[in-house]
Amino acid sequence: MTLVTTPFGFGSTAAEVVADVNLAGKRVVVTGASSGIGIETARALAGAGAEVTLGVRNVEAGEETAAGIRSSTGNAAVRVRRLDLSDQGSLRTFVAEWEGPLHILVNNAGIMALPSLERTPEGWEMQFATNFLGHFALTLGLHRALAAANGARIVSVSSSGNLIAPVIFDDLHFDFLPYDPLVAYGQSKTACALLAVEATRRWASDGIVANALNPGAIATNLQKHTGGLKTPAERRKTPQQGAATSVMLAASPLLEGVGGRYFEDCNEAATVSKRPTDWMGVAHYALDPANAERLWNISLGLIS
C-alpha cells in the first residue's frame, strides 16, 4: 500500500492546511476544544467557515475559548456543549441533543499518565475510559448524524504513545497487572488508532471515513503529570503546528475517501515492527484489522 503524502510537513500550521478550503455549511464537533491543540483545531475549522461545536468538560472555559475563536475568525457559528468523556451519562445527553447532520468529528480530548490508578464508576481505568471508550461511545452515538452528512470524516487523535503498548485485551483496566501510567496511556492511544481502522471498515459504505494521527510534541496541560515536555527543542511544535495534522484529516481535499490510516507531520506514517529510537511511525498492532474488530466488539459490550 502506497503511503499518502502531502505538500505539508512538520512545520505546517493548521491555518496553512486549510488556507484554500471552504467549509461553509459543514458542521463540526471538536472534543477537548478549550485547551491545547483543541483550540487551534477548532479555530482553523471555524476560520474555514464551518459551524463548530466545542465539546468540553468545563463550559466556562469553553465559552471563553469560543468567544476568542469568534473574535479571531469572524465566524459567529461557534458553540459550546458540555461533554465529559469519562461520564457515560454526559455522553448520552450530548448525543441525544444533537440534531441534523455532522460532517466532521474530531476526537481530540485526552488525559495522560495519571500518576495513580483512577477508575470510573464502572470500574474502567480512567485513561482508557476517557481517551478511548468515551470517544468510542460518542462516535457510535453520532453515527446516524455522520451518515446523514453524505461524506463525513472522523479524526482520532492518537500519539506516539501507541509505540509504548498494545491494547491489553485480557486486562484492559489493570485488574491484574500493576498499574503503569505510561502503559495505560499507550494502550489508550493504540485503541484510538484502532477505532479509525474499524470505523472505516464498518461505515465506509455510509460515506464515513476515519483516520488517526500523532499531533507531535506540543507543550500543553497534557504533560502536567510527566514533569513537562521531554522532547528535544528541535522536535517540538507550537499548538498551531500541532493542530495541523488533525485539521488536514478533517478538511483537506487531499484526503478525500482515505480512511483507516495513521498520519504524523501531515503525511501518512510508516508502520513499524519494533519501537524506533526517534519515536516515529505507528506500531503494526495499532492498525491490525483483527485487533480493531476485537476492540470494537469488546467496547460495545462495555458501553451497552
Side-chain angles (χ1 to χ4, degrees), residues 54-75:
L54 314 182
V56 296
R57 190 166 47 183
N58 183 333
V59 173
E60 188 177 340
E63 291 290 2
E64 191 175 319
T65 298
I69 292 173
R70 291 185 205 109
S71 175
S72 64
T73 63
N75 183 347

Side-chain angles (χ1 to χ4, degrees), residues 3 7 57 72 75 87 98 103 128 161 165 168 171 184 194 199 236:
L3 297 181
R57 190 166 47 183
S72 64
N75 183 347
D87 179 350
W98 185 267
H103 301 84
F128 189 75
I168 306 163
D171 194 19
L194 292 170
R236 297 183 185 186

Side-chain angles (χ1 to χ4, degrees), residues 105-197:
L105 172 60
V106 184
N107 290 330
N108 166 79
I111 55 175
M112 179 182 182
L114 300 183
S116 57
L117 177 59
E118 296 182 32
R119 298 189 185 276
T120 66
E122 296 86 357
W124 303 337
E125 188 277 316
M126 189 62 75
Q127 292 186 77
F128 189 75
T130 302
N131 297 349
F132 170 69
L133 279 175
H135 281 127
F136 175 78
L138 178 67
T139 303
L140 201 68
L142 292 171
H143 172 241
R144 187 176 298 176
L146 291 161
N150 296 315
R153 298 189 189 187
I154 300 164
V155 179
S156 187
V157 179
S158 179
S159 99
S160 59
N162 84 84
L163 299 165
I164 297 173
V167 172
I168 306 163
F169 285 106
D170 292 322
D171 194 19
L172 293 172
H173 306 295
F174 293 84
D175 296 316
F176 294 88
L177 285 170
Y179 174 73
D180 182 294
L182 287 176
V183 170
Y185 177 70
Q187 168 179 247
S188 75
K189 287 304 183 177
T190 291
C192 290
L194 292 170
L195 171 60
V197 173

Side-chain angles (χ1 to χ4, degrees), residues 265-288:
D265 296 342
C266 294
N267 289 274
E268 188 176 1
T271 302
V272 298
S273 56
K274 63 181 181 180
R275 187 190 304 158
T277 55
D278 64 1
W279 288 82
M280 298 294 286
V282 58
H284 63 92
Y285 51 71
L287 292 179
D288 182 85

